[in-house]
PDB file of all heavy atoms in Angstrom:
ATOM      1  N   MET A 231     -11.412  31.200  22.318  1.00  0.00           N
ATOM      2  CA  MET A 231     -10.304  31.027  21.384  1.00  0.00           C
ATOM      3  C   MET A 231      -9.471  32.299  21.289  1.00  0.00           C
ATOM      4  O   MET A 231      -8.230  32.256  21.336  1.00  0.00           O
ATOM      5  CB  MET A 231     -10.848  30.640  20.006  1.00  0.00           C
ATOM      6  CG  MET A 231      -9.791  30.327  18.962  1.00  0.00           C
ATOM      7  SD  MET A 231      -8.983  28.723  19.222  1.00  0.00           S
ATOM      8  CE  MET A 231     -10.333  27.597  18.781  1.00  0.00           C
ATOM      9  N   ASN A 234      -7.327  33.146  24.431  1.00  0.00           N
ATOM     10  CA  ASN A 234      -6.202  32.247  24.702  1.00  0.00           C
ATOM     11  C   ASN A 234      -5.292  32.069  23.494  1.00  0.00           C
ATOM     12  O   ASN A 234      -4.488  31.127  23.455  1.00  0.00           O
ATOM     13  CB  ASN A 234      -6.727  30.889  25.170  1.00  0.00           C
ATOM     14  CG  ASN A 234      -7.474  30.979  26.491  1.00  0.00           C
ATOM     15  OD1 ASN A 234      -6.869  30.944  27.557  1.00  0.00           O
ATOM     16  ND2 ASN A 234      -8.793  31.110  26.423  1.00  0.00           N
ATOM     17  N   ALA A 235      -5.410  32.982  22.533  1.00  0.00           N
ATOM     18  CA  ALA A 235      -4.637  32.842  21.298  1.00  0.00           C
ATOM     19  C   ALA A 235      -3.139  32.861  21.551  1.00  0.00           C
ATOM     20  O   ALA A 235      -2.377  32.113  20.931  1.00  0.00           O
ATOM     21  CB  ALA A 235      -5.030  33.941  20.317  1.00  0.00           C
ATOM     22  N   GLN A 237      -1.533  31.881  24.160  1.00  0.00           N
ATOM     23  CA  GLN A 237      -1.083  30.695  24.896  1.00  0.00           C
ATOM     24  C   GLN A 237      -1.125  29.443  24.042  1.00  0.00           C
ATOM     25  O   GLN A 237      -0.490  28.438  24.375  1.00  0.00           O
ATOM     26  CB  GLN A 237      -1.954  30.477  26.150  1.00  0.00           C
ATOM     27  CG  GLN A 237      -1.851  31.581  27.170  1.00  0.00           C
ATOM     28  CD  GLN A 237      -2.539  31.208  28.468  1.00  0.00           C
ATOM     29  OE1 GLN A 237      -1.978  31.363  29.549  1.00  0.00           O
ATOM     30  NE2 GLN A 237      -3.762  30.717  28.396  1.00  0.00           N
ATOM     31  N   HIS A 238      -1.885  29.462  22.965  1.00  0.00           N
ATOM     32  CA  HIS A 238      -2.012  28.296  22.071  1.00  0.00           C
ATOM     33  C   HIS A 238      -2.415  27.043  22.846  1.00  0.00           C
ATOM     34  O   HIS A 238      -1.881  25.960  22.629  1.00  0.00           O
ATOM     35  CB  HIS A 238      -0.690  28.032  21.332  1.00  0.00           C
ATOM     36  CG  HIS A 238      -0.219  29.195  20.515  1.00  0.00           C
ATOM     37  ND1 HIS A 238      -0.835  29.604  19.365  1.00  0.00           N
ATOM     38  CD2 HIS A 238       0.813  30.054  20.705  1.00  0.00           C
ATOM     39  CE1 HIS A 238      -0.215  30.655  18.865  1.00  0.00           C
ATOM     40  NE2 HIS A 238       0.786  30.953  19.663  1.00  0.00           N
ATOM     41  N   ASN A 239      -3.354  27.189  23.754  1.00  0.00           N
ATOM     42  CA  ASN A 239      -3.747  26.041  24.576  1.00  0.00           C
ATOM     43  C   ASN A 239      -5.227  25.708  24.471  1.00  0.00           C
ATOM     44  O   ASN A 239      -5.804  25.077  25.353  1.00  0.00           O
ATOM     45  CB  ASN A 239      -3.379  26.290  26.046  1.00  0.00           C
ATOM     46  CG  ASN A 239      -4.122  27.483  26.634  1.00  0.00           C
ATOM     47  OD1 ASN A 239      -4.563  28.364  25.911  1.00  0.00           O
ATOM     48  ND2 ASN A 239      -4.249  27.510  27.947  1.00  0.00           N
ATOM     49  N   PHE A 240      -5.844  26.132  23.384  1.00  0.00           N
ATOM     50  CA  PHE A 240      -7.266  25.828  23.215  1.00  0.00           C
ATOM     51  C   PHE A 240      -7.545  25.463  21.765  1.00  0.00           C
ATOM     52  O   PHE A 240      -7.165  26.177  20.836  1.00  0.00           O
ATOM     53  CB  PHE A 240      -8.132  27.033  23.619  1.00  0.00           C
ATOM     54  CG  PHE A 240      -9.620  26.761  23.559  1.00  0.00           C
ATOM     55  CD1 PHE A 240     -10.207  25.857  24.428  1.00  0.00           C
ATOM     56  CD2 PHE A 240     -10.420  27.402  22.619  1.00  0.00           C
ATOM     57  CE1 PHE A 240     -11.574  25.600  24.377  1.00  0.00           C
ATOM     58  CE2 PHE A 240     -11.791  27.149  22.551  1.00  0.00           C
ATOM     59  CZ  PHE A 240     -12.373  26.246  23.442  1.00  0.00           C
ATOM     60  N   ARG A 241      -8.176  24.333  21.568  1.00  0.00           N
ATOM     61  CA  ARG A 241      -8.631  23.886  20.250  1.00  0.00           C
ATOM     62  C   ARG A 241     -10.073  23.413  20.369  1.00  0.00           C
ATOM     63  O   ARG A 241     -10.533  23.078  21.459  1.00  0.00           O
ATOM     64  CB  ARG A 241      -7.776  22.726  19.709  1.00  0.00           C
ATOM     65  CG  ARG A 241      -6.350  23.078  19.335  1.00  0.00           C
ATOM     66  CD  ARG A 241      -5.637  21.845  18.796  1.00  0.00           C
ATOM     67  NE  ARG A 241      -4.253  22.104  18.496  1.00  0.00           N
ATOM     68  CZ  ARG A 241      -3.795  22.505  17.307  1.00  0.00           C
ATOM     69  NH1 ARG A 241      -4.645  22.682  16.309  1.00  0.00           N
ATOM     70  NH2 ARG A 241      -2.512  22.707  17.105  1.00  0.00           N
ATOM     71  N   VAL A 242     -10.740  23.362  19.254  1.00  0.00           N
ATOM     72  CA  VAL A 242     -12.101  22.843  19.209  1.00  0.00           C
ATOM     73  C   VAL A 242     -12.107  21.621  18.304  1.00  0.00           C
ATOM     74  O   VAL A 242     -11.685  21.699  17.143  1.00  0.00           O
ATOM     75  CB  VAL A 242     -13.091  23.900  18.683  1.00  0.00           C
ATOM     76  CG1 VAL A 242     -14.462  23.265  18.449  1.00  0.00           C
ATOM     77  CG2 VAL A 242     -13.217  25.048  19.676  1.00  0.00           C
ATOM     78  N   PHE A 243     -12.537  20.495  18.850  1.00  0.00           N
ATOM     79  CA  PHE A 243     -12.655  19.258  18.080  1.00  0.00           C
ATOM     80  C   PHE A 243     -14.137  18.966  17.885  1.00  0.00           C
ATOM     81  O   PHE A 243     -14.902  18.958  18.855  1.00  0.00           O
ATOM     82  CB  PHE A 243     -11.994  18.087  18.819  1.00  0.00           C
ATOM     83  CG  PHE A 243     -10.505  18.161  18.882  1.00  0.00           C
ATOM     84  CD1 PHE A 243      -9.876  18.976  19.809  1.00  0.00           C
ATOM     85  CD2 PHE A 243      -9.725  17.428  18.007  1.00  0.00           C
ATOM     86  CE1 PHE A 243      -8.493  19.051  19.870  1.00  0.00           C
ATOM     87  CE2 PHE A 243      -8.342  17.491  18.060  1.00  0.00           C
ATOM     88  CZ  PHE A 243      -7.734  18.311  18.995  1.00  0.00           C
ATOM     89  N   LEU A 256     -16.573  30.797  15.340  1.00  0.00           N
ATOM     90  CA  LEU A 256     -15.154  30.492  15.543  1.00  0.00           C
ATOM     91  C   LEU A 256     -14.301  30.980  14.380  1.00  0.00           C
ATOM     92  O   LEU A 256     -13.143  31.361  14.558  1.00  0.00           O
ATOM     93  CB  LEU A 256     -14.958  28.988  15.718  1.00  0.00           C
ATOM     94  CG  LEU A 256     -15.264  28.403  17.099  1.00  0.00           C
ATOM     95  CD1 LEU A 256     -15.492  26.907  17.003  1.00  0.00           C
ATOM     96  CD2 LEU A 256     -14.123  28.712  18.058  1.00  0.00           C
ATOM     97  N   VAL A 259     -12.059  34.172  14.246  1.00  0.00           N
ATOM     98  CA  VAL A 259     -10.741  34.309  14.880  1.00  0.00           C
ATOM     99  C   VAL A 259      -9.773  33.194  14.523  1.00  0.00           C
ATOM    100  O   VAL A 259      -8.582  33.274  14.829  1.00  0.00           O
ATOM    101  CB  VAL A 259     -10.876  34.390  16.423  1.00  0.00           C
ATOM    102  CG1 VAL A 259     -11.626  35.647  16.825  1.00  0.00           C
ATOM    103  CG2 VAL A 259     -11.583  33.152  16.979  1.00  0.00           C
ATOM    104  N   THR A 260     -10.263  32.131  13.897  1.00  0.00           N
ATOM    105  CA  THR A 260      -9.375  31.027  13.513  1.00  0.00           C
ATOM    106  C   THR A 260      -9.979  30.319  12.307  1.00  0.00           C
ATOM    107  O   THR A 260     -10.904  30.822  11.682  1.00  0.00           O
ATOM    108  CB  THR A 260      -9.161  30.050  14.687  1.00  0.00           C
ATOM    109  OG1 THR A 260      -8.157  29.077  14.340  1.00  0.00           O
ATOM    110  CG2 THR A 260     -10.439  29.324  15.061  1.00  0.00           C
ATOM    111  N   ALA A 261      -9.428  29.161  11.973  1.00  0.00           N
ATOM    112  CA  ALA A 261      -9.914  28.391  10.829  1.00  0.00           C
ATOM    113  C   ALA A 261      -9.796  26.910  11.145  1.00  0.00           C
ATOM    114  O   ALA A 261      -9.331  26.531  12.222  1.00  0.00           O
ATOM    115  CB  ALA A 261      -9.099  28.738   9.577  1.00  0.00           C
ATOM    116  N   LYS A 262     -10.209  26.094  10.194  1.00  0.00           N
ATOM    117  CA  LYS A 262     -10.032  24.655  10.347  1.00  0.00           C
ATOM    118  C   LYS A 262      -8.589  24.282  10.031  1.00  0.00           C
ATOM    119  O   LYS A 262      -8.001  24.822   9.092  1.00  0.00           O
ATOM    120  CB  LYS A 262     -10.975  23.900   9.422  1.00  0.00           C
ATOM    121  CG  LYS A 262     -12.430  23.927   9.859  1.00  0.00           C
ATOM    122  CD  LYS A 262     -13.335  23.208   8.893  1.00  0.00           C
ATOM    123  CE  LYS A 262     -13.666  24.060   7.690  1.00  0.00           C
ATOM    124  NZ  LYS A 262     -14.780  23.500   6.882  1.00  0.00           N
ATOM    125  N   ALA A 263      -8.026  23.389  10.813  1.00  0.00           N
ATOM    126  CA  ALA A 263      -6.668  22.911  10.549  1.00  0.00           C
ATOM    127  C   ALA A 263      -6.667  22.137   9.237  1.00  0.00           C
ATOM    128  O   ALA A 263      -7.429  21.184   9.072  1.00  0.00           O
ATOM    129  CB  ALA A 263      -6.186  22.038  11.701  1.00  0.00           C
ATOM    130  N   ALA A 276      -6.704  26.655   7.108  1.00  0.00           N
ATOM    131  CA  ALA A 276      -5.381  27.224   7.363  1.00  0.00           C
ATOM    132  C   ALA A 276      -4.500  26.188   8.036  1.00  0.00           C
ATOM    133  O   ALA A 276      -4.987  25.326   8.783  1.00  0.00           O
ATOM    134  CB  ALA A 276      -5.477  28.468   8.251  1.00  0.00           C
ATOM    135  N   VAL A 277      -3.218  26.269   7.765  1.00  0.00           N
ATOM    136  CA  VAL A 277      -2.265  25.346   8.381  1.00  0.00           C
ATOM    137  C   VAL A 277      -2.295  25.472   9.896  1.00  0.00           C
ATOM    138  O   VAL A 277      -2.177  24.479  10.618  1.00  0.00           O
ATOM    139  CB  VAL A 277      -0.845  25.629   7.842  1.00  0.00           C
ATOM    140  CG1 VAL A 277       0.191  24.832   8.616  1.00  0.00           C
ATOM    141  CG2 VAL A 277      -0.756  25.282   6.363  1.00  0.00           C
ATOM    142  N   ASP A 278      -2.443  26.703  10.392  1.00  0.00           N
ATOM    143  CA  ASP A 278      -2.436  26.920  11.834  1.00  0.00           C
ATOM    144  C   ASP A 278      -3.839  27.027  12.416  1.00  0.00           C
ATOM    145  O   ASP A 278      -4.029  27.544  13.524  1.00  0.00           O
ATOM    146  CB  ASP A 278      -1.645  28.183  12.179  1.00  0.00           C
ATOM    147  CG  ASP A 278      -2.198  29.422  11.489  1.00  0.00           C
ATOM    148  OD1 ASP A 278      -3.082  29.285  10.622  1.00  0.00           O
ATOM    149  OD2 ASP A 278      -1.744  30.537  11.823  1.00  0.00           O
ATOM    150  N   GLY A 279      -4.848  26.552  11.690  1.00  0.00           N
ATOM    151  CA  GLY A 279      -6.211  26.577  12.207  1.00  0.00           C
ATOM    152  C   GLY A 279      -6.341  25.750  13.472  1.00  0.00           C
ATOM    153  O   GLY A 279      -5.677  24.724  13.628  1.00  0.00           O
ATOM    154  N   ARG A 280      -7.232  26.169  14.352  1.00  0.00           N
ATOM    155  CA  ARG A 280      -7.365  25.492  15.643  1.00  0.00           C
ATOM    156  C   ARG A 280      -8.720  24.799  15.812  1.00  0.00           C
ATOM    157  O   ARG A 280      -9.099  24.419  16.917  1.00  0.00           O
ATOM    158  CB  ARG A 280      -7.108  26.479  16.778  1.00  0.00           C
ATOM    159  CG  ARG A 280      -5.719  27.115  16.668  1.00  0.00           C
ATOM    160  CD  ARG A 280      -5.309  27.828  17.945  1.00  0.00           C
ATOM    161  NE  ARG A 280      -5.058  26.902  19.038  1.00  0.00           N
ATOM    162  CZ  ARG A 280      -3.932  26.197  19.189  1.00  0.00           C
ATOM    163  NH1 ARG A 280      -2.957  26.283  18.305  1.00  0.00           N
ATOM    164  NH2 ARG A 280      -3.778  25.385  20.226  1.00  0.00           N
ATOM    165  N   VAL A 281      -9.424  24.641  14.713  1.00  0.00           N
ATOM    166  CA  VAL A 281     -10.652  23.847  14.714  1.00  0.00           C
ATOM    167  C   VAL A 281     -10.355  22.536  14.007  1.00  0.00           C
ATOM    168  O   VAL A 281      -9.941  22.526  12.846  1.00  0.00           O
ATOM    169  CB  VAL A 281     -11.805  24.582  14.002  1.00  0.00           C
ATOM    170  CG1 VAL A 281     -13.026  23.661  13.892  1.00  0.00           C
ATOM    171  CG2 VAL A 281     -12.174  25.849  14.758  1.00  0.00           C
ATOM    172  N   MET A 282     -10.495  21.443  14.708  1.00  0.00           N
ATOM    173  CA  MET A 282     -10.239  20.119  14.147  1.00  0.00           C
ATOM    174  C   MET A 282     -11.588  19.475  13.844  1.00  0.00           C
ATOM    175  O   MET A 282     -12.315  19.072  14.745  1.00  0.00           O
ATOM    176  CB  MET A 282      -9.449  19.259  15.141  1.00  0.00           C
ATOM    177  CG  MET A 282      -8.238  19.944  15.745  1.00  0.00           C
ATOM    178  SD  MET A 282      -6.949  20.294  14.545  1.00  0.00           S
ATOM    179  CE  MET A 282      -6.342  18.638  14.251  1.00  0.00           C
TER     180      MET A 282
END
Side-chain angles (χ1 to χ4, degrees):
M231 184 74 71
N234 296 275
Q237 296 189 132
H238 302 289
N239 63 337
F240 184 67
R241 291 181 183 269
V242 171
F243 290 80
L256 280 160
V259 295
T260 187
K262 287 178 280 193
V277 171
D278 58 351
R280 302 194 69 79
V281 174
M282 312 294 288

